[in-house]
Structures are given as structure tokens and as C-alpha cells.
Amino acid sequence: MKYLVVYETLKEEIFNEKYAINEQLPNGRELAELFHVSMLTIKKAMDRLVLDGIIVRRRGDGSYVKDWKKMDVAQHNHLSGTFNQFSEGEVKTKVLKFEVERADEKIAAKLSIQAGDFIYAITRLRIIRGIPSIIEYTFMPLDLIPNLQMSHVETSIYNYIQRDLRLMVHSAVVKITGVRPDDFEKKELHLKSNSFLLQVDQVASLDNSRVFEFSIAKHIPEEFEFETVIVSNKK
């Protein structure tokens, strides 16, 4: 995809110090002319650089190179999956679906693959400290995550990806919304008719920019916690 070419080129130029730390990058129109692509393609590439912590946007003033040499390695390796976020024995997994399917257009777009490509389609119920707490719908490209087994799905797919396949989980785009459960989710989570869930949509990428996961996790509010850091770019 064109935006990945732009993203990789700019990242390499920054790491090779063509653009110095705190230096302003060319604006979107200049980059579009330089790479012979659309403004939308440039925006997608710049969004990925922002997500990676390599550049920062300053409102009304353009994009600047961050001090990427001081980035904490943990920033790039904090994604670990539900199973690893709790102490041993706190989480049990009930696999409700584990199948290989062909991706429809919506899933293919999220995974940056072609409609009809083979994917894993996984549905899991996470039981935390004895309470049915999360239903996870996970989709992964078959060619990128080969030989996935039920034993991985029952515990941690992320452990398999990082320890066995030796792939580096790098970053994710996350969206959180409040939703009403459907009948299937009410049954599995033991919910009342007037309940609501917190839905976390996640598109996760490896360090080579390949999207390896699109997931929808629906949490009961009692077991949901979200923490972030907001930093002002004003000087």
C-alpha cells in the first residue's frame, strides 16, 4: 500500500537523521508532491508516525520530529493481550469459536488484506476471578500467524506470536464505545436486559507495519479500566 511506502521512507529518513530531532517536516502538500501520492495517503502515513511516537503534530504549526532516541523500549512492547494482564489463575478462557474463514470486505479492510483471504475467526469468553467479564471477537490473517493451535487460543495468542513466531508486537489503534449487548452476549456474560458493555475496537500492528489483528472486546463495566497519558505540546 502506498501509505506504507511513505511511512517507511520517512521513518528511515528520520532515523538516518535526514530530519533532525525537533526539525519541522515538510507540510502535507509538499510531501504529496514529493511522493506523487494523495493528501489522504500522506495523512495515513503521518498518523502512523505519530502513533509510533516518532513525530508530533503541533496545532497550526505542522509536524516535528520527536526525540525518538530517548523512547522507552517498553513503549513499543506494552501490548500483551488479556491473558497477560492479570495474575496467574485469575483468568480462564472459554473458546466459543475457532475457525478459518474467508475475510469479508469489512474485516479485510481492517486487516489491510484482500476480501476472500483466509483469516482466523476467534470468539472467546474471558472469565476473570470467576466472573464472565469479556467477550472477544478476534480476526487474524492466516498467512501472518501460521499454525495457530487451540492451546494458544485457550491461553495467550500474543505469547505465541512473540515467543514462538518471534514477531514484535508494536502498536495499536484503539477505539472505546458504550454498546448494548446482543442476546448471545447477554447469555454468555449473564447480563440483565438493561445492561451495557464497554466495547474496545483494536487494530494492532507488528514492527514491520503489518496489521496482524483486528479485535472487538466487549467488557462488563465492573472489570474495565483504561489509563492513558495526555501531554501538552505547548512550549
Side-chain angles (χ1 to χ4, degrees):
M1 290 173 290
K2 291 182 179 179
Y3 88 91
L4 289 177
V5 174
V6 176
Y7 161 77
E8 291 291 352
T9 301
L10 287 174
K11 183 171 72 170
E12 183 177 354
E13 289 177 345
I14 290 170
F15 287 172
N16 289 334
E17 301 189 31
K18 176 180 178 179
Y19 299 106
I21 291 169
N22 295 323
E23 182 178 347
Q24 185 176 14
L25 293 172
N27 63 39
R29 191 171 301 280
E30 291 170 337
L31 289 172
E33 292 177 358
L34 179 65
F35 286 98
H36 305 290
V37 296
S38 68
M39 291 286 288
L40 179 60
T41 297
I42 295 299
K43 181 181 182 303
K44 290 177 68 175
M46 299 295 275
D47 286 347
R48 179 63 67 89
L49 290 169
V50 170
L51 181 66
D52 288 353
I54 297 171
I55 68 171
V56 61
R57 287 194 179 101
R58 296 176 184 169
R59 190 171 182 179
D61 193 28
S63 299
Y64 289 78
V65 179
K66 291 182 68 175
D67 191 352
W68 52 269
K69 294 181 180 180
K70 294 182 179 179
M71 288 192 298
D72 189 342
V73 174
Q75 178 181 346
H76 298 281
N77 199 29
H78 72 281
L79 293 167
S80 59
T82 301
F83 190 82
N84 293 322
Q85 295 172 16
F86 296 89
S87 302
E88 184 176 357
E90 284 191 314
V91 180
K92 293 184 178 180
T93 301
K94 179 182 178 183
V95 179
L96 304 174
K97 177 180 178 180
F98 176 33
E99 297 177 0
V100 173
E101 300 178 349
R102 291 188 181 273
D104 62 23
E105 291 187 0
K106 176 184 175 182
I107 300 300
K110 293 290 186 180
L111 293 174
S112 298
I113 60 176
Q114 298 296 316
D117 285 356
F118 286 107
I119 60 169
Y120 297 108
I122 303 163
T123 304
R124 294 179 290 183
L125 174 67
R126 300 293 198 173
I127 302 167
I128 301 173
R129 293 181 284 270
I131 300 172
S133 300
I134 309 169
I135 282 194
E136 299 174 347
Y137 305 93
T138 304
F139 307 93
M140 293 180 166
L142 191 70
D143 67 330
L144 194 57
I145 314 295
N147 303 317
L148 189 65
Q149 303 296 318
M150 178 63 79
S151 59
H152 307 132
V153 177
E154 289 175 332
T155 53
S156 173
I157 299 174
Y158 274 54
N159 283 350
Y160 172 65
I161 290 171
Q162 296 183 104
R163 296 177 187 176
D164 294 15
L165 299 182
R166 298 190 177 279
L167 299 173
M168 178 64 72
V169 177
H170 183 269
S171 57
V173 177
V174 174
K175 180 175 75 172
I176 302 173
T177 53
V179 298
R180 294 290 184 185
D182 60 24
D183 290 340
F184 169 73
E185 292 157 355
K186 288 178 185 177
K187 176 184 175 183
E188 294 296 337
L189 292 170
H190 303 171
L191 299 176
K192 297 179 180 179
S193 58
N194 61 347
S195 300
F196 77 95
L197 301 172
L198 289 164
Q199 177 173 311
V200 180
D201 292 18
Q202 175 171 290
V203 177
S205 302
L206 301 172
D207 62 347
N208 62 4
S209 303
R210 280 290 306 273
V211 176
F212 74 92
E213 176 194 41
F214 168 53
S215 65
I216 301 170
K218 298 187 178 183
H219 301 244
I220 63 171
E222 293 83 355
E223 290 293 340
F224 182 83
E225 180 177 321
F226 177 76
E227 181 177 338
T228 189
V229 176
I230 300 174
V231 179
S232 173
N233 292 320
K234 293 183 179 180
K235 292 187 174 181

